[in-house]
Amino acid sequence: MKISRMRALVVGRMKALIPGRVKALFRGLFKGRAKALVLGTVGIVVAVGAAGLAYLAFHDTKELRYKSQNALRTGVARAGGEELAHRGVSLKSTLTCADSLGWTKRKMRVNCTSSTSDHQRVQIIGAGEGATQDQYYTILVNGRPLVQNATCLGADCRKKS
């Protein structure tokens, strides 16, 4: 009976000591750690926020203006006519557009032709790259470039500026 009584006494004392020691232990641990935890969390949030802002600032959101060959063909005819009119070139007839040889869904190519009112040949070449989302347009009047490798034509350009 002595052993069980002693055991009860030790267990009782341990139970009384553990909460006080645990509280003291946690107070000591979390004084510095809580501060470090809060500062670390704030630092991570700030770093993620800064990375997000940098991504938005430097990420280029290029997108093809004309998503299909048919849309490119009709868009170049419309925008090319607007661009020529804006530059003071009057056309004898509307632009006639056809697909360039070798075009694919990823590399769209069109060629539009017409003539000016003073019978000079007009040619507009339009291209759209699906992989890079780049688009380029060139306008030739009588074989000489009026517009070279422009990224937009007509009202499409003036909306951005």
Side-chain angles (χ1 to χ4, degrees):
M1 205 163 343
K2 258 185 164 181
I3 295 176
S4 63
R5 193 169 187 202
M6 199 161 152
R7 181 193 254 172
L9 184 65
V10 170
V11 170
R13 284 201 172 189
M14 286 179 73
K15 283 183 182 178
L17 290 176
I18 288 175
R21 286 189 177 181
V22 170
K23 285 180 187 175
L25 178 68
F26 279 117
R27 262 190 245 128
L29 284 176
F30 285 121
K31 249 185 209 174
R33 286 191 181 186
K35 192 175 186 180
L37 184 65
V38 169
L39 289 175
T41 303
V42 169
I44 289 172
V45 168
V46 168
V48 168
L53 287 174
Y55 175 78
L56 289 175
F58 295 111
H59 178 67
D60 191 14
T61 56
K62 288 196 296 187
E63 191 175 317
L64 283 177
R65 192 167 283 111
Y66 307 111
K67 307 249 185 268
S68 68
Q69 184 72 12
N70 187 40
L72 180 65
R73 199 179 323 109
T74 57
V76 169
R78 178 196 50 79
E82 289 174 4
E83 185 68 31
L84 287 165
H86 182 72
R87 292 175 179 265
V89 177
S90 59
L91 294 176
K92 187 176 180 181
S93 61
T94 59
L95 287 161
T96 305
C97 295
D99 300 333
S100 295
L101 292 175
W103 74 272
T104 65
K105 286 184 179 183
R106 298 185 125 206
K107 293 185 178 198
M108 300 179 293
R109 306 281 187 265
V110 296
N111 192 4
C112 302
T113 57
S114 185
S115 59
T116 64
S117 55
D118 58 345
H119 305 291
Q120 293 180 351
R121 186 171 188 266
V122 173
Q123 180 181 15
I124 301 178
I125 304 161
E129 298 284 333
T132 61
Q133 300 291 299
D134 287 330
Q135 50 216 356
Y136 297 103
Y137 309 96
T138 297
I139 299 177
L140 303 172
V141 177
N142 215 23
R144 295 186 179 185
L146 181 66
V147 173
Q148 263 185 314
N149 294 329
T151 57
C152 57
L153 287 177
D156 293 336
C157 291
R158 288 182 279 287
K159 284 180 189 174
K160 290 182 179 180
S161 55

